[in-house]
Amino acid sequence: MISIEDLSYSIGKSKILDNISVTFEGNQFVGLLGPNGAGKSTLLKLMSGAIHSKQGEISIEQKAIQNWNKKDLSQKRAVLSQNYEIAYNYSVRDLVLMGRYPFFEQVPNSKDIDIIERVLDFCGLKSFKDRSIKSLSGGELQRVHLARVLAQIEEVEKGILFLDEPINNLDLRYQHEIMQIALHYSRKGNLVVAVLHDLNIAFEYIDCYCFMNKGKIEAMNSIEKFVSKEVLMDIYGINLEVQKVGNRPSIVHQRNSIETPTV
């Protein structure tokens, strides 16, 4: 579904991504993992078409991303970014309706309205739909934004959902709710690619891990193939024990793995 070949990206003299080649298929929940500054969000932005590189090629459905026009791309993939600045006091329903903008000219039709109602119900927001977004908690608002991007691609065949740190700064309940919604979307034959930091929550939901460090992919495999503690040490610089819980890995941090600075 997404093919990347020899992709590099620089800002000035700083190389952010270094010769990446990888393929992501549909019906899959992929986690982009790794430390801050590894290049995860930059890779996500390049795959979504938000930014562009002159070095390498990205293809969606075997079509180079630069050959997709803006409207067609908006009807194929949706992006949940880290931060949103919303000046107006929209209702939940009106904000979710924005996800349908790529599909209607001036006003939504009955199909758009039906999709909005389904997505609101699916995301557990039906009782919220007339509330002001200014009255919501951070976790509730993040769920509304997720509903908005799902409305954008709800009826797209083999859609792509990009999530950039979707559960940061949320309490445990909302973290799991958002991950469950993303997992369900992938199970409908779609591709979900998410930048994540909490390894144990990631490992509970993702199908494939893609560890990045210093602009490169250091390790990638299905979640059943456990990444070694040596690889994690190279990536994070701390001693992380990998245990098996069911058929998935779980990470245990060794408290004595980081030297305590002398004050």
Side-chain angles (χ1 to χ4, degrees), residues 143-189:
R143 196 149 38 108
V144 173
H145 280 300
L146 180 56
R148 173 180 56 79
V149 297
L150 287 175
Q152 181 180 337
I153 51 175
E154 201 272 342
E155 286 199 334
V156 175
E157 185 177 355
K158 297 181 180 179
I160 305 170
L161 177 61
F162 294 110
L163 307 173
D164 194 358
E165 301 187 24
I167 60 174
N168 278 18
N169 303 315
L170 300 182
D171 67 33
L172 198 59
R173 170 192 169 188
Y174 289 115
Q175 289 180 7
H176 284 282
E177 284 183 353
I178 286 172
M179 293 293 282
Q180 287 167 6
I181 291 169
L183 176 64
H184 182 83
Y185 180 74
S186 72
R187 292 300 180 263
K188 295 165 66 177

Side-chain angles (χ1 to χ4, degrees), residues 16-32:
I16 311 300
L17 297 177
D18 187 7
N19 197 35
I20 287 178
S21 295
V22 66
T23 299
F24 299 125
E25 300 291 344
N27 196 34
Q28 195 175 48
F29 191 170
V30 178
L32 298 182

